[in-house]
Amino acid sequence: MTQHLAARTAADSADALDWWRDAVIYQVYPRSFADGDGDGTGDLPGIRARLPYLAQLGVDAVWLSPFYASPQADGGYDVADYRAIDPVYGTLHDADALIRDAHGLGLRVIVDVVPNHSSDRHEWFRRALAEGPGSPLRARYHFRPGKGADGELPPNDWESIFGGPAWTRCPDGEWYLHLFAPEQPDFDWEHPAVADEFRSILRFWLDMGVDGFRVDVAHGLVKAAGLPDIGGTGQLGLLGNAAMPFFDQDGVHDIYRSWRRVLEEYPGRRIAVAEAWTPTVERTANYVRPDELHQAFNFQYLGTYWDAAELRPVIDASLAAMRPVGAPATWVLSNHDVTRHTTRFANPAGLGTQLRSAGDPVRGLRRARAATLLMLALPGSAYLYQGEELGLPDVTDLPDEVRQDPAFARGAGQDGFRDGCRVPIPWTVAGSSYGFGDGGSWLPQPAGWGELSVEAQTGDPGSTLELYRAALAVRRAHAALGAGDGVEWLPAPEGVLLFRRTSGDAAFVCAANTTGAPVRITVPAGRLLLSSAAGGVSGGESGGEVDLPADTTAWWSAEAG
Ligand code: NOJ
């Protein structure tokens, strides 16, 4: 064990072992967070320099999207070498320094692992391609002969999530499977070398001191035997949740049982969170059974609009699904794959999670702030996406020529708007790329983003940044937030969610008005802690009758009920 790990183990108290159950985890998209060397792309030294900002924000952990050696065909989710840092992001030394600094600031570090597919430049794939049909290396991926008289048709009817067929033909006539871009060939997890290699990759990063993994496409690793046709159900979409022969197959769970054993070889509590798109929250719960992964993203919650009538059943179903397996529920509003929630809620309901319209930004921000306070009041763990603490909107008008989302090109401009949530973060009011770096930014930032910068919002009590700081401080100080596995719903008018949370002697009440008008509610006696409304909440300082403004969430401390 390295000195580094020994030091950390000593710091791990028994309480800290359950750190992940109510952790607030902040997602960093490395290309777009902070650029240390002025080449226009974010990097590990840039992130490292900003760690004090994250510690001060009050999050518990940082999840880093991929920084591995990669041709960047899909923003680094196309990994050429799982044990190397892409030069654009830095070096292994930088990663080590970042992990140490984070731990020194009390922040845990979670890294992405991408096991469903590699890059087409990964050594295994390059050699498999070069050696031709019959090479044993081809068995580590899904190579197949085509259909039709000359094998000119793909082996089955599966479509890529980024558009077009899920198969690409090699010059020698065989086809290979890629559920995502052609530059992302799918591994065949039936091959034991694949499973061995990934256990080794996990150990490599655990030895580096990381606290956990976010498992990319965790539901996709095992494909149904014989790779059967779907039978014309049409295009899938990234957020599709219909049963598919390449998603959520029962065999994936053996893989995660073996990963859990690897995680438990290490001191402290190392965790894994599944990116698993499944048809139901009950299927998602299978990934977090006690001998599998620790958490799974709650995409059902992410896909729910700002509407009490829709939110309450999703909250209830999420908590109910996790209870039998003893895993914490998780909550998330934004990530690097969807339109930021500020912009989703600025638009009417029913438009999905990839939008091109800015909508009504004032209303969107008001709702986003309220949605955050609601999310942070729920039991379990919450995920934040970089920039949401600044209330950043999606950049919906990026010119086509700067877009890099592979789905944009493959979908002929009909899809693939994920660049809009990946525009680099504004840190300062003025200066080159608003403090992102000295050399511009790989995606253009809108004029006026200086007003949304960290510098502009710091110290302004009405700012979204200060709202997040206050909310996270209250969450840390108040035992009833985050803890437990249930909420006690209190009677509330239509369009309002009102609930109490209790932990020991501490109790807490949350009210969320999802309507566009003020609503009078009755809140149990207690002290107003925080409200998302820019103008505050008048009349509810100690509970009782409160006029809750439109699209507002407020928190009160209360007597245990
Ligand atoms: C999910 C990741 O979040 C997304 O960005 C990526 O394109 C796909 N998985 C493929 O790795």
Side-chain angles (χ1 to χ4, degrees):
M1 189 190 303
T2 63
Q3 248 184 351
H4 172 38
L5 279 180
R8 208 191 54 166
T9 310
D12 274 326
S13 69
D15 279 355
L17 291 181
D18 272 349
W19 67 270
W20 51 281
R21 289 197 158 268
D22 61 357
V24 177
I25 301 174
Y26 183 100
Q27 181 189 357
V28 166
Y29 192 67
R31 309 178 92 186
S32 305
F33 190 64
D35 176 15
D37 63 3
D39 66 355
T41 301
D43 48 38
L44 298 184
I47 299 167
R48 186 180 169 208
R50 299 288 182 183
L51 288 173
Y53 165 78
L54 297 179
Q56 200 207 353
L57 182 60
V59 299
D60 301 294
V62 182
W63 148 35
L64 301 166
S65 280
F67 45 66
Y68 311 110
S70 162
Q72 308 289 332
D74 181 22
Y77 283 95
D78 49 319
V79 181
D81 183 344
Y82 292 84
R83 296 180 186 81
I85 310 291
D86 197 278
V88 84
Y89 296 128
T91 63
L92 275 176
H93 176 77
D94 294 327
D96 179 60
L98 189 159
I99 295 165
R100 281 169 195 268
D101 278 13
H103 288 163
L105 289 163
L107 294 167
R108 311 255 175 178
V109 179
I110 292 173
V111 296
D112 233 293
V113 60
V114 189
N116 180 68
H117 45 264
S118 69
S119 160
D120 61 347
R121 314 277 177 83
H122 189 284
E123 197 199 340
W124 284 8
F125 190 78
R126 282 197 293 113
R127 283 173 50 203
L129 208 56
E131 288 179 16
S135 159
L137 283 174
R138 289 208 170 187
R140 296 175 185 189
Y141 293 90
H142 295 279
F143 282 89
R144 293 284 185 284
K147 286 185 176 163
D150 298 314
E152 74 283 7
L153 299 172
N156 69 19
D157 65 357
W158 297 1
E159 287 181 29
S160 154
I161 280 120
F162 290 157
W167 296 88
T168 288
R169 198 169 194 194
C170 316
D172 55 49
E174 278 199 336
W175 297 73
Y176 69 89
L177 175 69
H178 51 87
L179 291 182
F180 294 89
E183 296 88 350
Q184 294 167 295
D186 281 49
F187 285 115
D188 185 346
W189 272 82
E190 298 297 326
H191 197 296
V194 175
D196 285 349
E197 173 66 354
F198 272 92
R199 279 190 295 262
S200 160
I201 291 165
L202 295 183
R203 289 195 179 95
F204 178 87
W205 288 101
L206 291 164
D207 288 339
M208 287 278 289
V210 303
D211 299 279
F213 299 95
R214 177 265 189 192
V215 185
D216 190 60
V217 199
H219 55 309
L221 277 48
V222 172
K223 278 69 179 175
L227 310 182
D229 279 342
I230 297 168
T233 47
Q235 188 59 38
L236 303 165
L238 192 58
L239 307 187
N241 59 5
M244 290 289 167
F246 40 78
F247 280 162
D248 197 31
Q249 301 295 304
D250 290 339
V252 294
H253 297 291
D254 290 337
I255 299 169
Y256 300 128
R257 284 188 198 101
S258 94
W259 285 23
R260 181 66 174 243
R261 290 193 291 274
V262 172
L263 292 167
E264 289 186 351
E265 288 166 11
Y266 284 79
R269 185 71 86 240
R270 316 296 175 98
I271 68 144
V273 51
E275 187 217 20
W277 296 94
T278 70
T280 62
V281 278
E282 290 75 20
R283 296 285 305 180
T284 303
N286 289 340
Y287 290 75
V288 290
R289 288 177 284 201
D291 59 349
E292 296 194 40
L293 306 180
H294 296 74
Q295 295 183 342
F297 288 116
N298 189 342
F299 294 122
Q300 278 82 6
Y301 189 73
L302 185 150
T304 305
Y305 196 67
W306 177 241
D307 175 352
E310 284 185 41
L311 284 161
R312 181 167 164 171
V314 173
I315 294 169
D316 281 336
S318 306
L319 292 166
M322 294 301 142
R323 231 172 262 131
V325 291
T330 68
W331 314 99
V332 60
L333 290 166
S334 281
N335 65 31
H336 66 294
D337 287 332
V338 296
T339 300
R340 287 181 177 278
H341 61 281
T342 305
T343 300
R344 295 205 308 276
F345 297 155
N347 280 284
L351 300 181
T353 51
Q354 286 210 30
L355 309 185
R356 305 175 80 169
S357 152
D360 175 347
V362 174
R363 177 189 290 173
L365 181 59
R366 198 170 68 215
R367 289 176 167 176
R369 290 163 56 101
T372 297
L373 287 205
L374 171 62
M375 173 173 82
L376 291 175
L378 295 171
S381 184
Y383 281 81
L384 308 180
Y385 175 54
Q386 66 179 38
E388 70 169 76
E389 78 277 20
L390 304 176
L392 292 187
D394 230 64
V395 183
T396 49
D397 58 357
L398 283 171
D400 290 357
E401 58 276 15
V402 304
R403 291 186 184 276
Q404 297 195 18
D405 183 345
F408 184 72
R410 286 180 66 79
Q414 301 308 304
D415 200 355
F417 299 106
R418 297 181 300 166
D419 294 306
C421 63
R422 300 174 178 180
V423 173
I425 299 296
W427 292 93
T428 55
V429 175
S432 165
S433 62
Y434 304 113
F436 168 66
D438 293 336
S441 76
W442 67 278
L443 280 174
Q445 298 156 301
W449 260 29
E451 287 162 32
L452 297 175
S453 66
V454 172
E455 183 185 21
Q457 296 198 33
T458 295
D460 171 358
S463 72
T464 302
L465 176 57
E466 294 300 348
L467 177 70
Y468 270 71
R469 286 179 173 153
L472 293 170
V474 172
R475 190 176 153 112
R476 277 184 176 223
H478 209 291
L481 277 129
D485 64 0
V487 300
E488 179 195 347
W489 295 107
L490 302 174
E494 205 177 314
V496 176
L497 296 174
L498 182 61
F499 59 88
R500 176 167 30 211
R501 310 267 330 283
T502 308
S503 167
D505 292 344
F508 153 89
V509 169
C510 174
N513 174 10
T514 66
T515 75
V519 177
R520 177 155 298 182
I521 57 168
T522 306
V523 174
R527 186 170 56 86
L528 180 68
L529 296 169
L530 194 62
S531 125
S532 68
V537 173
S538 55
E541 284 75 10
S542 46
E545 287 223 319
V546 184
D547 285 322
L548 201 57
D551 295 317
T552 295
T553 299
W555 294 353
W556 290 264
S557 66
E559 300 293 314

